[in-house]
Amino acid sequence: MVVLGAVFGAGGMWLANRVAPEAGDRARTEQVVREYLLANPEIIPQAMQKLQERDAARAVSASRGAIEEPYAGAWIGNPKGDVTLVEYYDYNCGFCRATLPTIDRLVAADRNLRVVFKELPVLSDESRTAARAALAAASQGKFKPFHDALYAAGPVSDATIAQAAKATGVDAARIPADADATIRQNMETAAKLGITGTPSWVVGDQVLSGALPIERLQDAIAKARAAR
């Protein structure tokens, strides 16, 4: 019954106390659990969320190196920051575009934050072409200017990639030899984390999804910092 307390909180401890004296009576135990859940159905989604958070934390811990290690210059903020926020993104994702000012505000407000960008080209073939160009920009030390310029150029195409590359001095033809392997690793790691779309975020042991408000990301960063 300790498990019930861990999952359901104070209600679970109450339930554990109810059934502990008759722990050997399986039928009685199941009846008490059933009655409690029927009387408190809101516990079920709470328990599912707790389970998902626990599974996500385990997945992050198992792949932390692959998650938090940036590709060349694909990061901004404090290189020795005490918290790393990772964004999985796609250049054809409008919600990812909407996060640009949020990320800049986070870094400006938090001098101990590092933000790492991970290409996750899931929306189109053009997305993969753009991701490979972004890795070229990262290897040339011009990731963030290229990143912002490509989003500003609109829907991804060969023309907008060339436009962003020209504007930022990136040789988009110099695709790193490990570009495809890097993208593949990002896809595999994202799958392990249960990430199915962009933008998605990893900070500390948390996996978050969507174009979140800055306050939500700041709360997640604070939680990760407190857990250190």
Side-chain angles (χ1 to χ4, degrees):
M1 288 304 122
V2 175
V3 174
L4 290 173
V7 174
F8 297 134
M13 292 307 298
W14 174 89
L15 183 56
N17 291 336
R18 281 283 302 278
V19 301
E22 302 178 34
D25 186 345
R26 181 181 180 86
R28 174 59 180 162
T29 299
E30 292 179 350
Q31 180 62 26
V32 172
V33 172
R34 181 176 184 277
E35 290 174 359
Y36 183 83
L37 293 177
L38 289 175
N40 301 273
E42 69 278 4
I43 293 292
I44 297 174
Q46 292 173 13
M48 292 301 297
Q49 181 177 350
K50 285 285 187 181
L51 180 61
Q52 290 170 357
E53 290 174 355
R54 186 188 67 186
D55 289 347
R58 288 176 175 172
V60 171
S61 180
S63 302
R64 192 174 299 280
I67 296 166
E68 293 188 349
E69 183 66 27
Y71 183 90
W75 61 274
I76 59 172
N78 186 341
K80 298 182 179 179
D82 62 349
V83 173
T84 296
L85 173 68
V86 179
E87 182 193 19
Y88 284 87
Y89 71 94
D90 183 306
Y91 281 111
N92 269 317
C93 169
F95 293 108
C96 299
R97 181 183 294 109
T99 70
L100 293 177
T102 299
I103 293 173
D104 289 342
R105 287 175 60 196
L106 284 170
V107 171
D110 189 338
R111 294 184 179 181
N112 283 316
L113 177 67
R114 180 179 70 154
V115 178
V116 169
F117 301 90
K118 295 285 183 173
E119 295 73 20
L120 193 67
V122 295
L123 296 178
S124 69
D125 291 340
E126 290 79 9
S127 295
R128 178 173 285 272
T129 301
R132 297 174 82 243
L135 293 174
S139 69
Q140 294 167 41
K142 299 175 181 179
F143 174 81
K144 190 58 163 61
F146 176 83
H147 184 73
D148 292 349
L150 185 52
Y151 271 123
V156 174
S157 66
D158 290 342
T160 57
I161 293 172
Q163 175 185 329
K166 182 178 180 180
T168 56
V170 171
D171 183 352
R174 283 174 47 199
I175 305 298
D178 60 350
D180 289 332
T182 298
I183 293 170
R184 183 168 58 253
Q185 182 185 54
N186 289 351
M187 303 282 275
E188 291 173 352
T189 302
K192 292 176 183 177
L193 298 174
I195 291 174
T196 58
T198 55
S200 288
W201 315 84
V202 180
V203 56
D205 289 336
Q206 308 160 81
V207 179
L208 310 170
S209 299
L212 302 175
I214 189 170
E215 295 80 10
R216 178 68 181 89
L217 290 172
Q218 287 173 327
D219 286 347
I221 292 165
K223 182 178 178 181
R225 184 167 283 139
R228 289 180 56 84

